[in-house]
Amino acid sequence: MEILLLGTGSADGWPNPFCRCVSCRSATEVRGQTAALVDGVLLLDCGPEAPRAAARFGRSLASVRHILFTHGHWDHVGPAAMLMRHWTGTGEPLDVVGPPSALNQCRDWVGPDDPVRFVEVSPGDDVRVGDYRVRVLAAAHGADIGGDAVLYDLESVGGRIFWATDTGPLPEATHAAVAGAGFDAVFLEETFGMHTGHGTEHHDLPAFAATVDELRHSGAVVAATDVVAVHLSHHNPPEPELTAVLADSDARPGRDGEILGAVPIRSLILGGARSGKSAHAEALLAGQVAVTYLATGGTREGDPEWAERIRLHRSRRPHTWRTVETVDIADTLLTAETPLLLDCLGTWLTARMDLHRVWDDGGLDGVHADIDELVSAWRACPVRAVAVSNEVGSGVVPPAESGRLFRDLLGVLNARIAAESDEVVLMVAGRPLKLPAQ
């Protein structure tokens, strides 16, 4: 089961675009309204921001056959999506599942001949949509819409997840229903941080910890379960502090655009300067608690701008990630036991060219041998690995011979690593474009 998080924020997102609080000013991730795309065919909630989020993350919704709404609040139900779909003229069937507060908003947005099946559900229902078994669970939420909000226990041959947004501390009936489930992932809302006096049907951090503890006690959450906090708002502390608090529950904050489940083993992320390639690479590994970050840039004495770049990179990584500054990376790739992020191939190549004194006419044999060794290690790497590299071949031809040589060698290196990768993504203006295989 592959889950793409289209959004992990509250109704107003995080940061709130109208706010200048400390939490909003310090935010390094932009989070939209919480929703997810499962296996490319099933949407978990579909608020007004979800369709455009899918496009930003390079995903089409043309194959969606099921939409599961949790409740009728405006950030979870964007009925215009039904009209967008109608305008394509598709004749494919669509299941729209949810409580009355959600479905009643959608009915008028469906054409008279659209093959849409509305399935009203309530807690205790057990329905089948396509390849998925859907157990409908009670939420503590939505008194203003009739109190019919629900949560979903979603299962297929690819895994089992718990979609628990929006809700306050779970009703006893829900805890009983999921006992022993051993979920692969739990997406639990956490809106209010340390603001415990909010008086709403949402989780704050202490309530979140208590809910996770109870889920662990019942066997719904086990050691292998990925516990992801969603519906995050600016009521939370800045992300480094939030990450540390959630880690006490073996949980973590979700990130928009991250993918959980069936993901490639080796990914190459290409892009120009400030294209968002490093941030995208980090998001691909956001679901991993322990990651080895192979930083090949090193330090530059007397260069405050470079030092600030390094500081910003480090500040957005989870504190559980380990940073290793090295250009001798082949052995690390071969012996790794935790996921790796290599950033970046361009600075690695520069270091190898310096080592072999290429600029002093030391010849290229040593560099080509290093490239062969790196490509071989990348191919044999036994863990999830993401590499970042610069795309420098699309600009003006460098005026100096050294610049042209570096450009050409990096192009060769990128092509060889791409040939041994399961996916290659080109970042353009912060947007990922997945490149087709040869």
Side-chain angles (χ1 to χ4, degrees), residues 56 61-62 71 148 157 164 178 181 227 272 313 328 413:
R56 282 197 304 274
L61 299 181
H71 62 293
D148 66 354
V157 294
V178 300
V227 180
H313 271 249
D328 297 317
L413 175 59

Side-chain angles (χ1 to χ4, degrees), residues 408-419:
D408 293 347
L409 282 174
L410 185 59
V412 170
L413 175 59
N414 287 345
R416 292 192 60 186
I417 292 293

Side-chain angles (χ1 to χ4, degrees), residues 139-160:
H141 190 70
D144 59 319
I145 54 174
D148 66 354
V150 299
L151 312 174
Y152 292 112
D153 172 353
L154 182 69
E155 185 176 17
S156 73
V157 294
R160 186 176 182 183

Side-chain angles (χ1 to χ4, degrees), residues 239-375:
E239 185 156 343
E241 182 181 342
L242 171 64
T243 300
V245 175
L246 290 173
D248 290 339
S249 298
D250 288 331
R252 61 179 183 85
R255 292 184 174 183
D256 291 22
E258 73 166 281
I259 302 172
L260 296 84
V263 296
I265 295 176
R266 290 174 295 273
S267 301
L268 173 62
I269 314 301
L270 300 169
R274 299 297 188 184
S275 62
K277 56 186 181 294
S278 292
H280 182 74
E282 291 165 9
L284 292 180
L285 293 173
Q288 306 293 333
V289 174
V291 172
T292 299
Y293 196 110
L294 295 177
T296 62
T299 59
R300 300 180 185 179
E301 294 296 331
D303 190 339
E305 189 273 338
W306 181 259
E308 177 64 10
R309 282 177 180 246
I310 299 300
R311 187 193 68 78
L312 290 173
H313 271 249
R314 287 188 171 184
S315 68
R316 69 185 183 220
R317 299 174 206 158
H319 76 283
T320 56
W321 289 20
R322 181 173 68 100
T323 299
V324 177
E325 294 185 358
T326 181
V327 293
D328 297 317
I329 56 180
D331 286 344
T332 304
L333 288 170
L334 290 171
T335 60
E337 296 181 354
T338 60
L340 295 171
L341 198 163
L342 166 58
D343 193 353
C344 73
L345 293 177
T347 49
W348 175 85
L349 179 61
T350 299
R352 304 319 288 181
M353 294 175 76
D354 287 343
L355 176 68
H356 295 292
R357 305 181 66 84
V358 169
W359 318 118
D360 299 326
D361 201 23
L364 295 176
D365 289 348
V367 176
H368 285 302
D370 288 345
I371 291 175
D372 289 343
E373 182 184 34
L374 175 60
V375 172

